[in-house]
Every structure is written in C-alpha cells, then in structure tokens.
Amino acid sequence: MHVLMRAETGRPDAQRGFTLIELVVAAGILAVLAMGIIPVAKVASVRADEIELRRSLRTVRMAIDAYREAAEAGEIDPDFIEPDHENYPPDLEDLVEGVPGPRGPDGRVPVLRFLRRLPADPMTGRADWLRRSYQDDPERLSWGGQNVYDIRSASPRLALDGTPYRSW
C-alpha cells in the first residue's frame, strides 16, 4: 500500500494538524500578550472615569453658577433666597427640584431648574459629592451647611497624575 506524502511537511495526509509543542508555544504567546493588555485596559478604564468626573464636576459647577446669576438678576423669588447664602443654592437638590421664580403678571410662579439630575461621582458610583460653602475654608473637607459654593469628589483615591480626586 502506497501512502501519499505531502511535499511541504513530509507527513502523510492523514496526520495533518498541530503538535503538542506548537500548541503550548501558541498558548504561551497568547498568555504573554494577555498579560500586557490587562494593565493597559485598567488604565484606560480609570482614564475614562476621570474624564467623566471632570465632566460631572463641570456640569454641576455650571449649574451652581447659573443659580447664582439667576439669583443676582432677580429671576429667583426673593422670599426663597436667604441673605446669608450669598446667592448660592442652599443645597444641590434645589438645582434639580427647582426653585420658585418671580410671580408673573398672571399670578403663576414658574419653577426654575438648573439640572435634570444630579450626576453620580464616577469614582464612588454615588451622588455623594463633598460640598463646600462660600464661608468654608477651601482646605476643609467638611461642609458648613450655609450654601453650596463648590463640590468635590468624595473618593480618597489618587488620580493617574498623582493628585487626589478631592482636589479637582
């Protein structure tokens, strides 16, 4: 009986395939590549969270500024504004729930909203922002409760650039 041999490999046609050594080498190469990709994927994930944190901070800070501008322009009912609030919102929820505007000629009171929803802190996964009032010391992490002048992340972790998220 004559067995046909393949010219390229020198093996019979019935014995085509990979050897155990070839499979082990291929698996080893794949493992080395996977070990290199995992750290890159983790950094990319953290970087995406940092971008989202910057976006959320900017959105809420712009809403706080819009509230203050509306209060200074008389677009918020003066009975709602406390004199010691320095025209800043009393709490973050007021930016979402809305505040009464000035009574119109028809007697209706419009509601002014500055945010659709309070974004979550991507570093903690909750809307547990650290607040700072206008009267607070900038370095203090506790909120005095008079108003909301600024917000910070509640995460104690460090950013990729080495700065604490709380300092952003």
Side-chain angles (χ1 to χ4, degrees):
M1 178 160 145
H2 180 34
V3 177
L4 293 173
M5 303 289 279
R6 294 198 46 101
E8 301 90 34
T9 62
R11 290 187 261 167
D13 282 339
Q15 295 181 358
R16 282 185 288 171
F18 296 106
T19 65
L20 181 60
I21 293 173
E22 290 171 331
L23 290 174
V24 169
V25 168
I29 291 171
L30 285 175
V32 168
L33 290 174
M35 287 190 310
I37 291 173
I38 291 172
V40 172
K42 285 182 181 179
V43 168
S45 174
V46 170
R47 190 173 312 279
D49 287 345
E50 288 183 358
I51 290 169
E52 184 61 30
L53 174 62
R54 287 187 192 279
R55 184 178 297 126
S56 296
L57 287 169
R58 184 174 45 251
T59 299
V60 175
R61 287 173 176 161
M62 287 174 59
I64 291 169
D65 291 342
Y67 179 100
R68 182 156 197 251
E69 290 170 9
E72 289 176 350
E75 296 171 3
I76 297 176
D77 183 3
D79 293 335
F80 183 80
I81 298 173
E82 298 288 330
D84 63 339
H85 283 182
E86 305 290 332
N87 289 328
Y88 288 103
D91 206 346
L92 290 174
E93 286 73 26
D94 291 328
L95 299 174
V96 177
E97 295 169 6
V99 295
R103 186 174 303 278
D106 59 355
R108 296 177 57 198
V109 178
V111 176
L112 304 174
R113 290 183 177 85
F114 300 92
L115 286 174
R116 289 181 186 214
R117 64 174 177 80
L118 189 60
D121 179 349
M123 299 305 160
T124 64
R126 300 179 307 274
D128 58 350
W129 300 101
L130 296 178
R131 297 165 174 91
R132 185 167 74 93
S133 67
Y134 184 76
Q135 295 83 355
D136 289 342
D137 177 24
E139 300 304 316
R140 207 169 93 189
L141 292 178
S142 62
W143 180 43
Q146 295 92 341
N147 53 44
V148 180
Y149 170 73
D150 196 13
I151 63 167
R152 303 180 206 187
S153 175
S155 174
R157 297 185 348 219
L158 295 178
L160 290 175
D161 65 2
T163 59
Y165 290 123
R166 288 182 176 175
S167 69
W168 288 16

PDB file of all heavy atoms in Angstrom, residues 70-71 74-83 87 100-103:
ATOM      1  N   ALA A  70     -28.857  83.788  38.260  1.00  0.00           N
ATOM      2  CA  ALA A  70     -30.309  83.987  38.292  1.00  0.00           C
ATOM      3  C   ALA A  70     -30.723  84.693  39.579  1.00  0.00           C
ATOM      4  O   ALA A  70     -31.591  85.578  39.560  1.00  0.00           O
ATOM      5  CB  ALA A  70     -31.025  82.646  38.162  1.00  0.00           C
ATOM      6  N   ALA A  71     -30.102  84.346  40.693  1.00  0.00           N
ATOM      7  CA  ALA A  71     -30.437  84.998  41.969  1.00  0.00           C
ATOM      8  C   ALA A  71     -30.032  86.472  41.936  1.00  0.00           C
ATOM      9  O   ALA A  71     -30.787  87.343  42.396  1.00  0.00           O
ATOM     10  CB  ALA A  71     -29.744  84.282  43.127  1.00  0.00           C
ATOM     11  N   GLY A  74     -32.395  88.609  39.925  1.00  0.00           N
ATOM     12  CA  GLY A  74     -33.762  88.695  40.422  1.00  0.00           C
ATOM     13  C   GLY A  74     -34.715  87.711  39.778  1.00  0.00           C
ATOM     14  O   GLY A  74     -35.930  87.898  39.840  1.00  0.00           O
ATOM     15  N   GLU A  75     -34.188  86.668  39.161  1.00  0.00           N
ATOM     16  CA  GLU A  75     -35.031  85.683  38.496  1.00  0.00           C
ATOM     17  C   GLU A  75     -35.521  84.599  39.450  1.00  0.00           C
ATOM     18  O   GLU A  75     -36.312  83.752  39.053  1.00  0.00           O
ATOM     19  CB  GLU A  75     -34.262  85.046  37.335  1.00  0.00           C
ATOM     20  CG  GLU A  75     -33.906  86.043  36.250  1.00  0.00           C
ATOM     21  CD  GLU A  75     -32.963  85.461  35.210  1.00  0.00           C
ATOM     22  OE1 GLU A  75     -32.633  84.265  35.298  1.00  0.00           O
ATOM     23  OE2 GLU A  75     -32.555  86.220  34.322  1.00  0.00           O
ATOM     24  N   ILE A  76     -35.038  84.606  40.689  1.00  0.00           N
ATOM     25  CA  ILE A  76     -35.494  83.664  41.711  1.00  0.00           C
ATOM     26  C   ILE A  76     -36.286  84.465  42.736  1.00  0.00           C
ATOM     27  O   ILE A  76     -35.889  85.578  43.111  1.00  0.00           O
ATOM     28  CB  ILE A  76     -34.300  82.941  42.374  1.00  0.00           C
ATOM     29  CG1 ILE A  76     -33.555  82.102  41.326  1.00  0.00           C
ATOM     30  CG2 ILE A  76     -34.755  82.060  43.528  1.00  0.00           C
ATOM     31  CD1 ILE A  76     -32.311  81.425  41.839  1.00  0.00           C
ATOM     32  N   ASP A  77     -37.391  83.885  43.186  1.00  0.00           N
ATOM     33  CA  ASP A  77     -38.247  84.558  44.171  1.00  0.00           C
ATOM     34  C   ASP A  77     -37.399  85.010  45.364  1.00  0.00           C
ATOM     35  O   ASP A  77     -36.745  84.185  46.009  1.00  0.00           O
ATOM     36  CB  ASP A  77     -39.338  83.593  44.622  1.00  0.00           C
ATOM     37  CG  ASP A  77     -40.323  84.224  45.586  1.00  0.00           C
ATOM     38  OD1 ASP A  77     -40.207  85.422  45.882  1.00  0.00           O
ATOM     39  OD2 ASP A  77     -41.223  83.496  46.048  1.00  0.00           O
ATOM     40  N   PRO A  78     -37.390  86.306  45.678  1.00  0.00           N
ATOM     41  CA  PRO A  78     -36.563  86.811  46.778  1.00  0.00           C
ATOM     42  C   PRO A  78     -36.908  86.202  48.133  1.00  0.00           C
ATOM     43  O   PRO A  78     -36.044  86.124  49.012  1.00  0.00           O
ATOM     44  CB  PRO A  78     -36.834  88.316  46.781  1.00  0.00           C
ATOM     45  CG  PRO A  78     -37.479  88.630  45.488  1.00  0.00           C
ATOM     46  CD  PRO A  78     -38.080  87.359  44.974  1.00  0.00           C
ATOM     47  N   ASP A  79     -38.145  85.736  48.317  1.00  0.00           N
ATOM     48  CA  ASP A  79     -38.522  85.116  49.583  1.00  0.00           C
ATOM     49  C   ASP A  79     -37.839  83.757  49.764  1.00  0.00           C
ATOM     50  O   ASP A  79     -37.711  83.272  50.889  1.00  0.00           O
ATOM     51  CB  ASP A  79     -40.043  84.925  49.658  1.00  0.00           C
ATOM     52  CG  ASP A  79     -40.778  86.257  49.712  1.00  0.00           C
ATOM     53  OD1 ASP A  79     -40.164  87.256  50.160  1.00  0.00           O
ATOM     54  OD2 ASP A  79     -41.950  86.296  49.296  1.00  0.00           O
ATOM     55  N   PHE A  80     -37.406  83.143  48.667  1.00  0.00           N
ATOM     56  CA  PHE A  80     -36.741  81.845  48.735  1.00  0.00           C
ATOM     57  C   PHE A  80     -35.270  81.980  49.117  1.00  0.00           C
ATOM     58  O   PHE A  80     -34.691  81.088  49.723  1.00  0.00           O
ATOM     59  CB  PHE A  80     -36.867  81.122  47.391  1.00  0.00           C
ATOM     60  CG  PHE A  80     -36.279  79.755  47.383  1.00  0.00           C
ATOM     61  CD1 PHE A  80     -36.971  78.679  47.919  1.00  0.00           C
ATOM     62  CD2 PHE A  80     -35.010  79.530  46.863  1.00  0.00           C
ATOM     63  CE1 PHE A  80     -36.419  77.409  47.923  1.00  0.00           C
ATOM     64  CE2 PHE A  80     -34.450  78.259  46.866  1.00  0.00           C
ATOM     65  CZ  PHE A  80     -35.159  77.200  47.399  1.00  0.00           C
ATOM     66  N   ILE A  81     -34.669  83.097  48.779  1.00  0.00           N
ATOM     67  CA  ILE A  81     -33.225  83.279  48.976  1.00  0.00           C
ATOM     68  C   ILE A  81     -32.951  83.785  50.395  1.00  0.00           C
ATOM     69  O   ILE A  81     -33.503  84.792  50.825  1.00  0.00           O
ATOM     70  CB  ILE A  81     -32.663  84.266  47.942  1.00  0.00           C
ATOM     71  CG1 ILE A  81     -32.859  83.703  46.535  1.00  0.00           C
ATOM     72  CG2 ILE A  81     -31.197  84.548  48.196  1.00  0.00           C
ATOM     73  CD1 ILE A  81     -32.482  84.662  45.438  1.00  0.00           C
ATOM     74  N   GLU A  82     -32.070  83.087  51.087  1.00  0.00           N
ATOM     75  CA  GLU A  82     -31.638  83.505  52.421  1.00  0.00           C
ATOM     76  C   GLU A  82     -30.531  84.538  52.272  1.00  0.00           C
ATOM     77  O   GLU A  82     -29.649  84.377  51.434  1.00  0.00           O
ATOM     78  CB  GLU A  82     -31.117  82.297  53.214  1.00  0.00           C
ATOM     79  CG  GLU A  82     -32.132  81.219  53.462  1.00  0.00           C
ATOM     80  CD  GLU A  82     -33.173  81.629  54.484  1.00  0.00           C
ATOM     81  OE1 GLU A  82     -32.851  82.431  55.384  1.00  0.00           O
ATOM     82  OE2 GLU A  82     -34.314  81.156  54.370  1.00  0.00           O
ATOM     83  N   PRO A  83     -30.526  85.571  53.096  1.00  0.00           N
ATOM     84  CA  PRO A  83     -29.498  86.606  52.952  1.00  0.00           C
ATOM     85  C   PRO A  83     -28.075  86.097  53.182  1.00  0.00           C
ATOM     86  O   PRO A  83     -27.139  86.576  52.552  1.00  0.00           O
ATOM     87  CB  PRO A  83     -29.866  87.643  54.021  1.00  0.00           C
ATOM     88  CG  PRO A  83     -31.234  87.307  54.481  1.00  0.00           C
ATOM     89  CD  PRO A  83     -31.516  85.894  54.104  1.00  0.00           C
ATOM     90  N   ASN A  87     -26.276  84.284  47.574  1.00  0.00           N
ATOM     91  CA  ASN A  87     -26.891  83.960  46.284  1.00  0.00           C
ATOM     92  C   ASN A  87     -26.475  82.600  45.726  1.00  0.00           C
ATOM     93  O   ASN A  87     -26.623  82.348  44.538  1.00  0.00           O
ATOM     94  CB  ASN A  87     -26.636  85.056  45.247  1.00  0.00           C
ATOM     95  CG  ASN A  87     -27.419  86.303  45.544  1.00  0.00           C
ATOM     96  OD1 ASN A  87     -28.512  86.244  46.092  1.00  0.00           O
ATOM     97  ND2 ASN A  87     -26.861  87.443  45.189  1.00  0.00           N
ATOM     98  N   PRO A 100     -38.553  78.570  43.064  1.00  0.00           N
ATOM     99  CA  PRO A 100     -39.594  79.438  42.509  1.00  0.00           C
ATOM    100  C   PRO A 100     -39.005  80.688  41.867  1.00  0.00           C
ATOM    101  O   PRO A 100     -38.108  81.328  42.411  1.00  0.00           O
ATOM    102  CB  PRO A 100     -40.448  79.792  43.733  1.00  0.00           C
ATOM    103  CG  PRO A 100     -39.548  79.596  44.899  1.00  0.00           C
ATOM    104  CD  PRO A 100     -38.567  78.535  44.518  1.00  0.00           C
ATOM    105  N   GLY A 101     -39.521  80.990  40.688  1.00  0.00           N
ATOM    106  CA  GLY A 101     -39.146  82.234  40.025  1.00  0.00           C
ATOM    107  C   GLY A 101     -40.049  83.354  40.497  1.00  0.00           C
ATOM    108  O   GLY A 101     -40.916  83.157  41.355  1.00  0.00           O
ATOM    109  N   PRO A 102     -39.875  84.534  39.955  1.00  0.00           N
ATOM    110  CA  PRO A 102     -40.756  85.638  40.362  1.00  0.00           C
ATOM    111  C   PRO A 102     -42.172  85.416  39.837  1.00  0.00           C
ATOM    112  O   PRO A 102     -42.374  84.854  38.771  1.00  0.00           O
ATOM    113  CB  PRO A 102     -40.102  86.860  39.723  1.00  0.00           C
ATOM    114  CG  PRO A 102     -39.315  86.320  38.579  1.00  0.00           C
ATOM    115  CD  PRO A 102     -38.890  84.934  38.977  1.00  0.00           C
ATOM    116  N   ARG A 103     -43.140  85.858  40.626  1.00  0.00           N
ATOM    117  CA  ARG A 103     -44.544  85.693  40.248  1.00  0.00           C
ATOM    118  C   ARG A 103     -44.818  86.511  38.983  1.00  0.00           C
ATOM    119  O   ARG A 103     -44.448  87.670  38.876  1.00  0.00           O
ATOM    120  CB  ARG A 103     -45.445  86.162  41.390  1.00  0.00           C
ATOM    121  CG  ARG A 103     -46.921  85.896  41.167  1.00  0.00           C
ATOM    122  CD  ARG A 103     -47.736  86.242  42.385  1.00  0.00           C
ATOM    123  NE  ARG A 103     -47.304  85.520  43.572  1.00  0.00           N
ATOM    124  CZ  ARG A 103     -47.650  84.276  43.886  1.00  0.00           C
ATOM    125  NH1 ARG A 103     -48.435  83.612  43.072  1.00  0.00           N
ATOM    126  NH2 ARG A 103     -47.243  83.705  44.990  1.00  0.00           N
TER     127      ARG A 103
END
